[in-house]
Short mmCIF file of all heavy atoms in Angstrom, two decimals:
data_model
loop_
_atom_site.label_atom_id
_atom_site.label_comp_id
_atom_site.label_asym_id
_atom_site.label_seq_id
_atom_site.Cartn_x
_atom_site.Cartn_y
_atom_site.Cartn_z
N MET A 1 120.27 78.24 -53.87
CA MET A 1 119.23 77.29 -54.16
C MET A 1 118.96 77.22 -55.67
O MET A 1 118.80 76.15 -56.21
CB MET A 1 117.97 77.68 -53.39
CG MET A 1 116.86 76.69 -53.52
SD MET A 1 117.27 75.21 -52.61
CE MET A 1 115.70 74.63 -52.22
N GLU A 2 118.92 78.36 -56.30
CA GLU A 2 118.68 78.40 -57.74
C GLU A 2 119.80 77.70 -58.50
O GLU A 2 119.56 77.01 -59.49
CB GLU A 2 118.56 79.84 -58.22
CG GLU A 2 118.13 79.97 -59.65
CD GLU A 2 117.89 81.41 -60.04
OE1 GLU A 2 117.21 82.12 -59.30
OE2 GLU A 2 118.43 81.79 -61.09
N GLU A 3 121.05 77.84 -58.02
CA GLU A 3 122.18 77.15 -58.66
C GLU A 3 122.01 75.65 -58.59
O GLU A 3 122.29 74.94 -59.55
CB GLU A 3 123.49 77.54 -57.96
CG GLU A 3 123.90 78.97 -58.17
CD GLU A 3 125.09 79.32 -57.29
OE1 GLU A 3 125.20 78.78 -56.18
OE2 GLU A 3 125.88 80.14 -57.73
N GLY A 4 121.58 75.16 -57.44
CA GLY A 4 121.38 73.73 -57.28
C GLY A 4 120.31 73.19 -58.21
O GLY A 4 120.47 72.12 -58.80
N ASN A 5 119.22 73.93 -58.36
CA ASN A 5 118.16 73.52 -59.29
C ASN A 5 118.69 73.49 -60.71
O ASN A 5 118.34 72.60 -61.48
CB ASN A 5 116.97 74.47 -59.19
CG ASN A 5 116.21 74.30 -57.90
OD1 ASN A 5 116.26 73.25 -57.28
ND2 ASN A 5 115.53 75.34 -57.47
N LYS A 6 119.52 74.46 -61.07
CA LYS A 6 120.08 74.51 -62.42
C LYS A 6 120.94 73.27 -62.69
O LYS A 6 120.86 72.66 -63.75
CB LYS A 6 120.92 75.78 -62.60
CG LYS A 6 121.50 75.92 -63.98
CD LYS A 6 122.32 77.17 -64.10
CE LYS A 6 123.00 77.23 -65.46
NZ LYS A 6 123.93 78.33 -65.57
N VAL A 7 121.76 72.88 -61.70
CA VAL A 7 122.62 71.70 -61.86
C VAL A 7 121.77 70.45 -62.02
O VAL A 7 122.04 69.62 -62.89
CB VAL A 7 123.58 71.57 -60.66
CG1 VAL A 7 124.27 70.22 -60.65
CG2 VAL A 7 124.62 72.68 -60.70
N PHE A 8 120.73 70.30 -61.19
CA PHE A 8 119.88 69.12 -61.30
C PHE A 8 119.10 69.09 -62.60
O PHE A 8 118.82 68.02 -63.14
CB PHE A 8 118.91 69.01 -60.10
CG PHE A 8 119.51 68.27 -58.95
CD1 PHE A 8 120.15 68.94 -57.93
CD2 PHE A 8 119.44 66.89 -58.89
CE1 PHE A 8 120.71 68.25 -56.87
CE2 PHE A 8 120.00 66.19 -57.83
CZ PHE A 8 120.63 66.87 -56.82
N ASN A 9 118.75 70.25 -63.14
CA ASN A 9 118.03 70.29 -64.41
C ASN A 9 118.95 70.06 -65.61
O ASN A 9 118.54 69.52 -66.62
CB ASN A 9 117.30 71.62 -64.58
CG ASN A 9 116.15 71.75 -63.61
OD1 ASN A 9 115.59 70.77 -63.17
ND2 ASN A 9 115.80 72.98 -63.28
N GLU A 10 120.21 70.48 -65.49
CA GLU A 10 121.14 70.40 -66.60
C GLU A 10 121.80 69.03 -66.74
O GLU A 10 122.12 68.60 -67.84
CB GLU A 10 122.23 71.47 -66.44
CG GLU A 10 123.07 71.68 -67.66
CD GLU A 10 123.96 72.90 -67.54
OE1 GLU A 10 123.56 73.89 -66.92
OE2 GLU A 10 125.09 72.84 -68.06
N TYR A 11 122.00 68.34 -65.63
CA TYR A 11 122.69 67.05 -65.64
C TYR A 11 121.75 65.97 -65.12
O TYR A 11 120.84 66.22 -64.35
CB TYR A 11 123.94 67.09 -64.76
CG TYR A 11 124.90 68.18 -65.15
CD1 TYR A 11 124.96 69.38 -64.44
CD2 TYR A 11 125.75 68.04 -66.24
CE1 TYR A 11 125.84 70.39 -64.79
CE2 TYR A 11 126.63 69.04 -66.61
CZ TYR A 11 126.67 70.21 -65.88
OH TYR A 11 127.55 71.20 -66.24
N ASP A 12 122.01 64.73 -65.54
CA ASP A 12 121.21 63.59 -65.09
C ASP A 12 121.85 63.03 -63.82
O ASP A 12 122.76 62.20 -63.90
CB ASP A 12 121.15 62.55 -66.21
CG ASP A 12 120.12 61.48 -65.94
OD1 ASP A 12 119.37 61.59 -64.95
OD2 ASP A 12 120.07 60.51 -66.72
N ILE A 13 121.39 63.49 -62.67
CA ILE A 13 121.97 63.09 -61.38
C ILE A 13 121.05 62.07 -60.71
O ILE A 13 119.87 62.31 -60.55
CB ILE A 13 122.17 64.31 -60.47
CG1 ILE A 13 123.18 65.27 -61.10
CG2 ILE A 13 122.60 63.89 -59.08
CD1 ILE A 13 123.37 66.57 -60.36
N ILE A 14 121.64 60.94 -60.31
CA ILE A 14 120.88 59.91 -59.61
C ILE A 14 120.85 60.22 -58.12
O ILE A 14 119.81 60.18 -57.48
CB ILE A 14 121.49 58.51 -59.86
CG1 ILE A 14 121.36 58.17 -61.35
CG2 ILE A 14 120.81 57.47 -59.00
CD1 ILE A 14 122.10 56.92 -61.76
N SER A 15 122.01 60.54 -57.56
CA SER A 15 122.08 60.89 -56.14
C SER A 15 123.24 61.84 -55.90
O SER A 15 124.19 61.87 -56.66
CB SER A 15 122.24 59.64 -55.27
OG SER A 15 123.54 59.10 -55.40
N LEU A 16 123.11 62.59 -54.82
CA LEU A 16 124.14 63.54 -54.43
C LEU A 16 124.23 63.51 -52.91
O LEU A 16 123.20 63.57 -52.23
CB LEU A 16 123.79 64.95 -54.92
CG LEU A 16 124.83 66.01 -54.63
CD1 LEU A 16 124.99 66.91 -55.84
CD2 LEU A 16 124.46 66.84 -53.44
N GLY A 17 125.45 63.40 -52.39
CA GLY A 17 125.64 63.39 -50.95
C GLY A 17 126.84 64.21 -50.55
O GLY A 17 127.83 64.27 -51.27
N VAL A 18 126.73 64.86 -49.40
CA VAL A 18 127.82 65.67 -48.86
C VAL A 18 128.24 65.06 -47.53
O VAL A 18 127.41 64.83 -46.66
CB VAL A 18 127.37 67.14 -48.66
CG1 VAL A 18 128.50 67.96 -48.05
CG2 VAL A 18 126.90 67.75 -49.96
N ASN A 19 129.54 64.80 -47.40
CA ASN A 19 130.08 64.25 -46.16
C ASN A 19 131.04 65.29 -45.55
O ASN A 19 132.17 65.43 -46.02
CB ASN A 19 130.81 62.94 -46.43
CG ASN A 19 131.27 62.27 -45.16
OD1 ASN A 19 131.47 62.91 -44.14
ND2 ASN A 19 131.44 60.97 -45.23
N PRO A 20 130.58 66.01 -44.51
CA PRO A 20 131.44 67.04 -43.91
C PRO A 20 132.65 66.45 -43.17
O PRO A 20 133.65 67.13 -43.00
CB PRO A 20 130.52 67.78 -42.96
CG PRO A 20 129.37 66.88 -42.72
CD PRO A 20 129.27 65.97 -43.90
N ASN A 21 132.58 65.19 -42.73
CA ASN A 21 133.71 64.57 -42.03
C ASN A 21 134.89 64.34 -42.97
O ASN A 21 136.04 64.57 -42.62
CB ASN A 21 133.29 63.26 -41.38
CG ASN A 21 132.26 63.47 -40.30
OD1 ASN A 21 132.26 64.50 -39.63
ND2 ASN A 21 131.36 62.52 -40.15
N ASN A 22 134.60 63.85 -44.17
CA ASN A 22 135.64 63.58 -45.16
C ASN A 22 135.85 64.73 -46.14
O ASN A 22 136.72 64.66 -46.99
CB ASN A 22 135.30 62.34 -45.98
CG ASN A 22 135.28 61.08 -45.16
OD1 ASN A 22 135.75 61.07 -44.03
ND2 ASN A 22 134.73 60.03 -45.70
N LYS A 23 135.00 65.75 -46.03
CA LYS A 23 135.02 66.89 -46.94
C LYS A 23 134.92 66.44 -48.39
O LYS A 23 135.74 66.76 -49.23
CB LYS A 23 136.26 67.76 -46.72
CG LYS A 23 136.25 68.45 -45.37
CD LYS A 23 137.32 69.49 -45.28
CE LYS A 23 137.17 70.23 -43.96
NZ LYS A 23 138.06 71.36 -43.86
N THR A 24 133.88 65.64 -48.65
CA THR A 24 133.63 65.16 -50.01
C THR A 24 132.19 65.42 -50.42
O THR A 24 131.29 65.45 -49.59
CB THR A 24 133.91 63.65 -50.15
OG1 THR A 24 133.10 62.95 -49.20
CG2 THR A 24 135.36 63.31 -49.95
N ILE A 25 132.01 65.62 -51.71
CA ILE A 25 130.70 65.70 -52.33
C ILE A 25 130.67 64.58 -53.35
O ILE A 25 131.43 64.58 -54.31
CB ILE A 25 130.47 67.06 -53.01
CG1 ILE A 25 130.60 68.19 -51.99
CG2 ILE A 25 129.12 67.09 -53.72
CD1 ILE A 25 130.65 69.57 -52.60
N LYS A 26 129.80 63.58 -53.12
CA LYS A 26 129.73 62.42 -54.02
C LYS A 26 128.46 62.50 -54.85
O LYS A 26 127.38 62.74 -54.33
CB LYS A 26 129.73 61.12 -53.23
CG LYS A 26 131.06 60.80 -52.59
CD LYS A 26 131.05 59.44 -51.96
CE LYS A 26 132.38 59.14 -51.32
NZ LYS A 26 132.38 57.84 -50.65
N VAL A 27 128.63 62.30 -56.13
CA VAL A 27 127.53 62.36 -57.07
C VAL A 27 127.53 61.08 -57.91
O VAL A 27 128.58 60.65 -58.38
CB VAL A 27 127.68 63.59 -58.02
CG1 VAL A 27 126.47 63.70 -58.92
CG2 VAL A 27 127.89 64.86 -57.23
N HIS A 28 126.35 60.49 -58.06
CA HIS A 28 126.19 59.33 -58.92
C HIS A 28 125.36 59.74 -60.12
O HIS A 28 124.30 60.35 -59.97
CB HIS A 28 125.51 58.18 -58.17
CG HIS A 28 126.36 57.61 -57.10
ND1 HIS A 28 126.32 58.04 -55.80
CD2 HIS A 28 127.30 56.64 -57.13
CE1 HIS A 28 127.19 57.36 -55.07
NE2 HIS A 28 127.80 56.50 -55.87
N VAL A 29 125.87 59.40 -61.30
CA VAL A 29 125.19 59.72 -62.56
C VAL A 29 125.11 58.44 -63.40
O VAL A 29 125.89 57.51 -63.19
CB VAL A 29 125.94 60.82 -63.35
CG1 VAL A 29 125.98 62.13 -62.58
CG2 VAL A 29 127.33 60.39 -63.74
N PRO A 30 124.18 58.40 -64.35
CA PRO A 30 124.13 57.23 -65.25
C PRO A 30 125.40 57.18 -66.11
O PRO A 30 126.01 58.21 -66.38
CB PRO A 30 122.91 57.49 -66.13
CG PRO A 30 122.17 58.59 -65.50
CD PRO A 30 123.10 59.33 -64.62
N ILE A 31 125.76 56.01 -66.51
CA ILE A 31 126.97 55.84 -67.33
C ILE A 31 126.85 56.60 -68.65
O ILE A 31 127.86 56.97 -69.25
CB ILE A 31 127.26 54.34 -67.53
CG1 ILE A 31 128.73 54.14 -67.87
CG2 ILE A 31 126.36 53.73 -68.57
CD1 ILE A 31 129.29 52.82 -67.46
N GLU A 32 125.62 56.88 -69.08
CA GLU A 32 125.40 57.60 -70.33
C GLU A 32 125.67 59.11 -70.21
O GLU A 32 125.79 59.80 -71.22
CB GLU A 32 123.95 57.41 -70.82
CG GLU A 32 123.60 55.98 -71.14
CD GLU A 32 123.19 55.17 -69.92
OE1 GLU A 32 122.89 55.76 -68.86
OE2 GLU A 32 123.21 53.94 -70.00
N GLU A 33 125.75 59.62 -68.99
CA GLU A 33 125.99 61.06 -68.80
C GLU A 33 127.39 61.40 -69.32
O GLU A 33 128.38 60.91 -68.81
CB GLU A 33 125.87 61.45 -67.33
CG GLU A 33 126.18 62.88 -67.00
CD GLU A 33 125.26 63.88 -67.66
OE1 GLU A 33 124.05 63.85 -67.38
OE2 GLU A 33 125.76 64.66 -68.48
N GLU A 34 127.45 62.25 -70.33
CA GLU A 34 128.72 62.56 -70.97
C GLU A 34 129.39 63.81 -70.41
O GLU A 34 130.56 64.07 -70.70
CB GLU A 34 128.50 62.72 -72.48
CG GLU A 34 128.05 61.43 -73.14
CD GLU A 34 127.75 61.60 -74.61
OE1 GLU A 34 127.81 62.72 -75.11
OE2 GLU A 34 127.45 60.57 -75.25
N GLN A 35 128.70 64.60 -69.62
CA GLN A 35 129.24 65.86 -69.14
C GLN A 35 129.72 65.77 -67.69
O GLN A 35 129.51 66.67 -66.90
CB GLN A 35 128.18 66.96 -69.28
CG GLN A 35 127.76 67.20 -70.70
CD GLN A 35 126.68 68.25 -70.79
OE1 GLN A 35 125.82 68.33 -69.93
NE2 GLN A 35 126.75 69.07 -71.82
N ARG A 36 130.40 64.70 -67.36
CA ARG A 36 130.85 64.51 -65.98
C ARG A 36 131.86 65.56 -65.55
O ARG A 36 131.81 66.05 -64.42
CB ARG A 36 131.44 63.11 -65.81
CG ARG A 36 130.38 62.05 -65.84
CD ARG A 36 130.98 60.67 -65.68
NE ARG A 36 130.41 59.85 -66.75
CZ ARG A 36 131.01 58.84 -67.30
NH1 ARG A 36 132.20 58.48 -66.93
NH2 ARG A 36 130.42 58.17 -68.25
N ASN A 37 132.81 65.91 -66.42
CA ASN A 37 133.82 66.91 -66.06
C ASN A 37 133.18 68.27 -65.80
O ASN A 37 133.57 68.98 -64.87
CB ASN A 37 134.88 67.03 -67.15
CG ASN A 37 135.75 65.80 -67.22
OD1 ASN A 37 135.90 65.07 -66.25
ND2 ASN A 37 136.32 65.55 -68.38
N GLU A 38 132.20 68.63 -66.62
CA GLU A 38 131.50 69.90 -66.42
C GLU A 38 130.73 69.90 -65.11
O GLU A 38 130.65 70.90 -64.42
CB GLU A 38 130.55 70.18 -67.59
CG GLU A 38 131.26 70.48 -68.89
CD GLU A 38 131.55 69.24 -69.72
OE1 GLU A 38 131.43 68.11 -69.20
OE2 GLU A 38 131.91 69.39 -70.89
N LEU A 39 130.16 68.74 -64.76
CA LEU A 39 129.43 68.61 -63.50
C LEU A 39 130.37 68.80 -62.31
O LEU A 39 130.04 69.52 -61.36
CB LEU A 39 128.74 67.24 -63.43
CG LEU A 39 128.01 66.90 -62.13
CD1 LEU A 39 126.94 67.92 -61.82
CD2 LEU A 39 127.42 65.51 -62.23
N VAL A 40 131.54 68.19 -62.36
CA VAL A 40 132.53 68.35 -61.29
C VAL A 40 132.89 69.83 -61.13
O VAL A 40 132.91 70.35 -60.02
CB VAL A 40 133.81 67.52 -61.57
CG1 VAL A 40 134.92 67.89 -60.60
CG2 VAL A 40 133.51 66.04 -61.48
N TYR A 41 133.15 70.49 -62.23
CA TYR A 41 133.52 71.90 -62.21
C TYR A 41 132.40 72.76 -61.62
O TYR A 41 132.64 73.61 -60.76
CB TYR A 41 133.87 72.37 -63.62
CG TYR A 41 134.30 73.81 -63.70
CD1 TYR A 41 135.55 74.20 -63.25
CD2 TYR A 41 133.44 74.77 -64.21
CE1 TYR A 41 135.94 75.54 -63.30
CE2 TYR A 41 133.82 76.10 -64.28
CZ TYR A 41 135.07 76.48 -63.82
OH TYR A 41 135.45 77.79 -63.88
N SER A 42 131.17 72.52 -62.05
CA SER A 42 130.02 73.30 -61.55
C SER A 42 129.83 73.11 -60.05
O SER A 42 129.62 74.08 -59.31
CB SER A 42 128.74 72.89 -62.27
OG SER A 42 128.81 73.20 -63.63
N LEU A 43 129.90 71.87 -59.59
CA LEU A 43 129.71 71.61 -58.16
C LEU A 43 130.85 72.16 -57.32
O LEU A 43 130.65 72.66 -56.22
CB LEU A 43 129.53 70.11 -57.91
CG LEU A 43 128.21 69.53 -58.40
CD1 LEU A 43 128.22 68.02 -58.24
CD2 LEU A 43 127.04 70.14 -57.67
N ALA A 44 132.07 72.08 -57.84
CA ALA A 44 133.22 72.63 -57.11
C ALA A 44 133.09 74.14 -56.97
O ALA A 44 133.37 74.69 -55.90
CB ALA A 44 134.52 72.27 -57.82
N GLN A 45 132.62 74.81 -58.01
CA GLN A 45 132.42 76.26 -57.93
C GLN A 45 131.33 76.61 -56.93
O GLN A 45 131.47 77.54 -56.15
CB GLN A 45 132.07 76.83 -59.30
CG GLN A 45 133.27 77.00 -60.20
CD GLN A 45 132.93 77.87 -61.39
OE1 GLN A 45 131.86 77.76 -61.97
NE2 GLN A 45 133.86 78.72 -61.75
N MET A 46 130.23 75.85 -56.94
CA MET A 46 129.16 76.10 -55.98
C MET A 46 129.64 75.88 -54.55
O MET A 46 129.32 76.66 -53.66
CB MET A 46 127.97 75.18 -56.27
CG MET A 46 127.14 75.62 -57.44
SD MET A 46 125.78 74.49 -57.85
CE MET A 46 125.12 74.04 -56.28
N ALA A 47 130.41 74.82 -54.34
CA ALA A 47 130.92 74.52 -53.00
C ALA A 47 131.82 75.65 -52.50
O ALA A 47 131.71 76.08 -51.35
CB ALA A 47 131.68 73.20 -53.01
N GLN A 48 132.70 76.13 -53.35
CA GLN A 48 133.59 77.23 -52.96
C GLN A 48 132.81 78.49 -52.64
O GLN A 48 133.12 79.19 -51.68
CB GLN A 48 134.62 77.50 -54.05
CG GLN A 48 135.66 76.44 -54.14
CD GLN A 48 136.70 76.72 -55.22
OE1 GLN A 48 136.64 77.73 -55.90
NE2 GLN A 48 137.66 75.82 -55.36
N LYS A 49 131.79 78.75 -53.41
CA LYS A 49 130.97 79.94 -53.20
C LYS A 49 130.28 79.90 -51.83
O LYS A 49 130.05 80.93 -51.21
CB LYS A 49 129.93 80.05 -54.31
CG LYS A 49 129.06 81.28 -54.21
CD LYS A 49 128.10 81.37 -55.38
CE LYS A 49 127.22 82.59 -55.25
NZ LYS A 49 126.25 82.68 -56.33
N HIS A 50 129.99 78.69 -51.36
CA HIS A 50 129.29 78.53 -50.09
C HIS A 50 130.23 78.14 -48.94
O HIS A 50 129.79 77.56 -47.94
CB HIS A 50 128.16 77.52 -50.25
CG HIS A 50 127.09 78.00 -51.18
ND1 HIS A 50 126.16 78.94 -50.82
CD2 HIS A 50 126.84 77.71 -52.47
CE1 HIS A 50 125.36 79.19 -51.84
NE2 HIS A 50 125.77 78.46 -52.87
N GLY A 51 131.52 78.44 -49.10
CA GLY A 51 132.47 78.25 -48.01
C GLY A 51 133.02 76.85 -47.85
O GLY A 51 133.62 76.54 -46.82
N MET A 52 132.86 76.00 -48.83
CA MET A 52 133.35 74.63 -48.74
C MET A 52 134.55 74.47 -49.67
O MET A 52 134.58 73.64 -50.56
CB MET A 52 132.22 73.65 -49.11
CG MET A 52 131.06 73.78 -48.17
SD MET A 52 129.51 72.90 -48.50
CE MET A 52 129.74 71.84 -49.81
N LYS A 53 135.58 75.28 -49.43
CA LYS A 53 136.74 75.36 -50.32
C LYS A 53 137.57 74.08 -50.36
O LYS A 53 138.18 73.76 -51.36
CB LYS A 53 137.63 76.54 -49.91
CG LYS A 53 136.95 77.88 -50.05
CD LYS A 53 137.88 78.98 -49.65
CE LYS A 53 137.26 80.33 -49.48
NZ LYS A 53 136.40 80.85 -50.44
N ASP A 54 137.62 73.34 -49.27
CA ASP A 54 138.46 72.15 -49.18
C ASP A 54 137.75 70.87 -49.62
O ASP A 54 138.31 69.78 -49.51
CB ASP A 54 138.96 71.97 -47.75
CG ASP A 54 139.86 73.10 -47.31
OD1 ASP A 54 140.43 73.77 -48.19
OD2 ASP A 54 139.99 73.32 -46.10
N TYR A 55 136.54 70.97 -50.10
CA TYR A 55 135.77 69.78 -50.45
C TYR A 55 136.19 69.23 -51.81
O TYR A 55 136.46 69.98 -52.73
CB TYR A 55 134.27 70.10 -50.46
CG TYR A 55 133.65 70.09 -49.09
CD1 TYR A 55 134.02 71.01 -48.12
CD2 TYR A 55 132.69 69.14 -48.76
CE1 TYR A 55 133.46 70.99 -46.87
CE2 TYR A 55 132.12 69.12 -47.50
CZ TYR A 55 132.50 70.04 -46.56
OH TYR A 55 131.95 70.02 -45.32
N GLU A 56 136.22 67.91 -51.89
CA GLU A 56 136.53 67.22 -53.14
C GLU A 56 135.22 66.72 -53.75
O GLU A 56 134.39 66.14 -53.06
CB GLU A 56 137.45 66.03 -52.87
CG GLU A 56 137.76 65.21 -54.09
CD GLU A 56 138.55 63.95 -53.77
OE1 GLU A 56 138.71 63.61 -52.59
OE2 GLU A 56 139.00 63.31 -54.73
N VAL A 57 135.04 66.96 -55.04
CA VAL A 57 133.85 66.48 -55.74
C VAL A 57 134.20 65.18 -56.45
O VAL A 57 135.15 65.12 -57.23
CB VAL A 57 133.35 67.52 -56.76
CG1 VAL A 57 132.13 66.98 -57.51
CG2 VAL A 57 133.03 68.84 -56.07
N ILE A 58 133.44 64.14 -56.16
CA ILE A 58 133.65 62.82 -56.75
C ILE A 58 132.40 62.45 -57.54
O ILE A 58 131.31 62.40 -56.98
CB ILE A 58 133.92 61.76 -55.67
CG1 ILE A 58 135.13 62.15 -54.83
CG2 ILE A 58 134.09 60.38 -56.30
CD1 ILE A 58 135.29 61.34 -53.57
N VAL A 59 132.55 62.22 -58.83
CA VAL A 59 131.43 61.80 -59.67
C VAL A 59 131.67 60.36 -60.10
O VAL A 59 132.74 60.04 -60.63
CB VAL A 59 131.30 62.72 -60.91
CG1 VAL A 59 130.21 62.20 -61.83
CG2 VAL A 59 130.99 64.15 -60.48
N ARG A 60 130.68 59.53 -59.86
CA ARG A 60 130.76 58.12 -60.24
C ARG A 60 129.65 57.80 -61.22
O ARG A 60 128.49 58.13 -60.98
CB ARG A 60 130.64 57.22 -59.02
CG ARG A 60 131.81 57.35 -58.09
CD ARG A 60 131.78 56.28 -57.04
NE ARG A 60 132.97 56.37 -56.22
CZ ARG A 60 132.98 56.23 -54.91
NH1 ARG A 60 131.88 55.97 -54.26
NH2 ARG A 60 134.11 56.32 -54.25
N ALA A 61 130.01 57.14 -62.30
CA ALA A 61 129.03 56.70 -63.28
C ALA A 61 128.62 55.27 -62.95
O ALA A 61 129.48 54.41 -62.71
CB ALA A 61 129.61 56.77 -64.68
N ILE A 62 127.32 55.04 -62.90
CA ILE A 62 126.83 53.70 -62.58
C ILE A 62 125.84 53.25 -63.65
O ILE A 62 125.20 54.06 -64.30
CB ILE A 62 126.19 53.63 -61.18
CG1 ILE A 62 125.00 54.58 -61.08
CG2 ILE A 62 127.22 53.93 -60.10
CD1 ILE A 62 124.21 54.41 -59.80
N ARG A 63 125.72 51.94 -63.79
CA ARG A 63 124.75 51.37 -64.72
C ARG A 63 123.38 51.34 -64.04
O ARG A 63 123.28 51.24 -62.83
CB ARG A 63 125.15 49.95 -65.12
CG ARG A 63 126.30 49.90 -66.09
CD ARG A 63 126.56 48.45 -66.49
NE ARG A 63 127.45 48.20 -67.56
CZ ARG A 63 128.66 48.70 -67.76
NH1 ARG A 63 129.14 49.57 -66.93
NH2 ARG A 63 129.40 48.34 -68.78
N ASP A 64 122.36 51.38 -64.83
CA ASP A 64 121.00 51.34 -64.32
C ASP A 64 120.76 50.03 -63.56
O ASP A 64 121.11 48.96 -64.04
CB ASP A 64 120.01 51.44 -65.49
CG ASP A 64 118.58 51.61 -65.02
OD1 ASP A 64 118.38 52.22 -63.95
OD2 ASP A 64 117.68 51.14 -65.71
N GLY A 65 120.25 50.14 -62.36
CA GLY A 65 119.96 48.98 -61.54
C GLY A 65 121.06 48.58 -60.57
O GLY A 65 120.85 47.74 -59.71
N TYR A 66 122.25 49.17 -60.70
CA TYR A 66 123.33 48.86 -59.78
C TYR A 66 123.10 49.59 -58.47
O TYR A 66 122.65 50.72 -58.46
CB TYR A 66 124.68 49.29 -60.36
CG TYR A 66 125.30 48.28 -61.29
CD1 TYR A 66 124.65 47.88 -62.46
CD2 TYR A 66 126.53 47.70 -61.01
CE1 TYR A 66 125.21 46.96 -63.32
CE2 TYR A 66 127.09 46.78 -61.88
CZ TYR A 66 126.41 46.41 -63.02
OH TYR A 66 126.97 45.49 -63.87
N PRO A 67 123.43 48.95 -57.35
CA PRO A 67 123.26 49.63 -56.06
C PRO A 67 124.28 50.75 -55.89
O PRO A 67 125.39 50.68 -56.42
CB PRO A 67 123.52 48.51 -55.04
CG PRO A 67 124.33 47.50 -55.75
CD PRO A 67 123.93 47.60 -57.21
N ILE A 68 123.88 51.79 -55.18
CA ILE A 68 124.76 52.92 -54.92
C ILE A 68 125.43 52.67 -53.58
O ILE A 68 124.80 52.44 -52.57
CB ILE A 68 123.94 54.23 -54.85
CG1 ILE A 68 123.29 54.47 -56.20
CG2 ILE A 68 124.81 55.39 -54.44
CD1 ILE A 68 122.31 55.62 -56.20
N SER A 69 126.77 52.70 -53.60
CA SER A 69 127.53 52.51 -52.36
C SER A 69 128.36 53.76 -52.10
O SER A 69 128.78 54.44 -53.02
CB SER A 69 128.45 51.30 -52.45
OG SER A 69 129.40 51.49 -53.46
N ASN A 70 128.59 54.07 -50.85
CA ASN A 70 129.37 55.25 -50.48
C ASN A 70 130.73 54.90 -50.08
O ASN A 70 131.32 54.23 -49.64
CB ASN A 70 128.66 56.05 -49.40
CG ASN A 70 127.39 56.67 -49.93
OD1 ASN A 70 127.31 56.96 -51.11
ND2 ASN A 70 126.43 56.85 -49.08
#
């Protein structure tokens, strides 16, 4: 739980979703977020630590006001 709070405090995350059927973790960030690669790495490490080794982390940058689609 503390790791998750650290990620949300460190990065500008608009939304985060986990799909166990597709084994994906989707994250939407503002287009201005420059640390997308670091975010992918952090989330992948957290997922592995919690037994989600096969999950793919997908980070999408969106403009303010654009609808979020899955």
Side-chain angles (χ1 to χ4, degrees):
M1 185 71 152
E2 188 175 312
E3 292 172 327
N5 289 336
K6 181 181 175 187
V7 168
F8 271 94
N9 291 335
E10 192 170 326
Y11 304 101
D12 192 6
I13 296 175
I14 296 171
S15 72
L16 183 138
V18 178
N19 186 335
N21 296 328
N22 294 347
K23 293 191 174 187
T24 57
I25 301 169
K26 289 186 180 178
V27 184
H28 292 92
V29 298
I31 202 152
E32 297 83 16
E33 176 62 63
E34 296 177 355
Q35 298 178 324
R36 288 179 229 151
N37 291 335
E38 291 89 347
L39 176 58
V40 170
Y41 181 74
S42 296
L43 289 174
Q45 281 194 320
M46 283 177 41
Q48 287 181 1
K49 183 177 178 182
H50 295 284
M52 299 172 8
K53 297 180 192 312
D54 296 338
Y55 279 65
E56 176 186 10
V57 178
I58 302 167
V59 175
R60 293 191 176 139
I62 60 172
R63 285 184 170 49
D64 189 31
Y66 276 61
I68 298 172
S69 63
N70 292 331

